[in-house]
Amino acid sequence: MTTNTDSESPVIVATALHKRYGRGDAFVEAISGVDLTASSEEFIAVMGTSGSGKSTLLQLLGGLERADSGSIHFEGNDICRMSDSAIVSLRRQSMGVVFQAYNLMPTLDAVDNVALPLLLAGMGRRTAVPIARACLNDVGMSHRMGSRPAQLSGGEQQRVALARALVNQPKLILADEPTGSLDRKNTHAVCELLCDVASTAGRSTIVVTHDPAVADYADRVLTLEDGQIAERMPMGQA
Ligand SMILES: Nc1ncnc2c1ncn2[C@@H]1O[C@H](COP(=O)(O)OP(=O)(O)OP(=O)(O)O)[C@@H](O)[C@H]1O
Ligand SMILES: [Mg+2]
């Protein structure tokens, strides 16, 4: 299963990232000189207080926000130097993103929400729908496949969002508080699932979390403080 290339080269390498919001005197230095390398099969947890820059970092890595300076090497490209449309196709093809606010399409049911990335990538409905159903089954949502987001609890929407992020077998999974609305039992279930999908050759998983129970599952925990990485702690060696 594992190829040498996949296991030896990092999946994503971010160097000297800076991101500032606002201008003049009223700016916020959200990310201030972050370096990050994520390896194949690595599950990284990003922690830090509210406002420390966690979501911003994830958005830079996913090309959803533009860095002011620095580079992000992924799949042979520097995301910081790509056009918006090229980033959109790269993300559709090779990334799975779970947003802090889920961002599900309100008019589509769970199956269609999960199938959407495949349909956008040009796959036919007949092929896409069974794959979407299988992903919903993996996150324990087989009983609510036909429900629209408004008919689902926060935790259920979060699991649909996770299924949608996994449906295209991405190289990079970026998840912002993927267990934020879940109870303890479902948090552990989603973490087990994330660990399982994270151990795929050629794939890195980066999860922002406030929850130490989620960080316990990670290979490595990065703590952000005022937009900078404060510590690197290999799990089990603290
Ligand atoms: N679009 C924006 N415009 C202006 N400032 C922003 C914007 N997005 C984030 N910020 C600011 O950048 C800083 C980092 O925000 P970010 O959302 O990355 O924090 P976070 O660590 O994800 O916080 P939380 O744990 O509350 O989700 C904060 O000071 C925030 O107010
Ligand atoms: Mg956030």
Side-chain angles (χ1 to χ4, degrees):
M1 288 274 283
T2 309
T3 67
N4 285 339
T5 318
D6 276 349
S7 52
E8 283 166 15
S9 49
V11 173
I12 188 162
V13 181
T15 309
L17 286 183
H18 285 263
K19 174 68 181 175
R20 185 182 273 203
Y21 292 110
R23 53 186 65 168
D25 289 340
F27 70 84
V28 178
E29 186 90 18
I31 290 295
S32 183
V34 166
D35 296 323
L36 168 66
T37 298
S39 307
S40 170
E41 297 176 57
E42 194 174 25
F43 182 168
I44 297 176
V46 179
M47 299 190 82
T49 52
S50 182
S52 59
K54 304 181 297 296
S55 294
T56 303
L57 176 60
L58 222 59
Q59 284 173 350
L60 295 178
L61 297 176
L64 295 147
E65 284 279 358
R66 291 267 180 193
D68 297 323
S69 59
S71 63
I72 303 172
H73 287 280
F74 176 66
E75 295 270 77
N77 303 286
D78 179 355
I79 291 175
C80 298
R81 277 152 196 83
M82 290 169 74
S83 68
D84 288 346
S85 59
I87 291 175
V88 169
S89 6
L90 180 67
R91 197 165 47 238
R92 275 187 193 153
Q93 215 170 9
S94 305
M95 294 183 190
V97 183
V98 183
F99 297 94
Q100 199 165 6
Y102 326 133
N103 291 10
L104 297 172
M105 301 289 284
T107 55
L108 301 181
D109 68 16
V111 170
D112 283 340
N113 261 290
V114 175
L116 194 60
L118 301 176
L119 300 173
L120 288 171
M123 188 182 282
R125 233 189 112 67
R126 278 185 187 206
T127 318
V129 165
I131 297 173
R133 286 176 170 272
C135 282
L136 280 167
N137 193 40
D138 286 345
V139 297
M141 284 294 291
S142 51
H143 58 305
R144 303 303 301 272
M145 302 234 192
S147 302
R148 287 195 298 276
Q151 301 167 312
L152 298 171
S153 72
E156 288 170 338
Q157 290 181 55
Q158 209 150 33
R159 281 185 280 161
V160 174
L162 182 58
R164 183 182 57 183
L166 298 174
V167 78
N168 62 345
Q169 301 280 327
K171 290 274 172 61
L172 180 65
I173 297 172
L174 300 171
D176 201 344
E177 299 281 3
T179 62
S181 309
L182 302 181
D183 59 21
R184 206 117 208 102
K185 181 166 163 263
N186 280 311
T187 292
H188 285 289
V190 165
C191 287
E192 297 281 352
L193 174 71
L194 276 171
C195 275
D196 204 25
V197 297
S199 62
T200 298
R203 171 180 289 170
S204 289
T205 303
I206 303 177
V207 175
V208 163
T209 185
H210 278 107
D211 187 351
V214 177
D216 279 347
Y217 283 85
D219 299 313
R220 186 151 62 104
V221 179
L222 303 179
T223 304
L224 277 182
E225 246 178 58
D226 295 332
Q228 295 183 318
I229 291 176
E231 71 191 89
R232 289 164 186 267
M233 185 175 69
M235 295 307 293
Q237 294 174 32

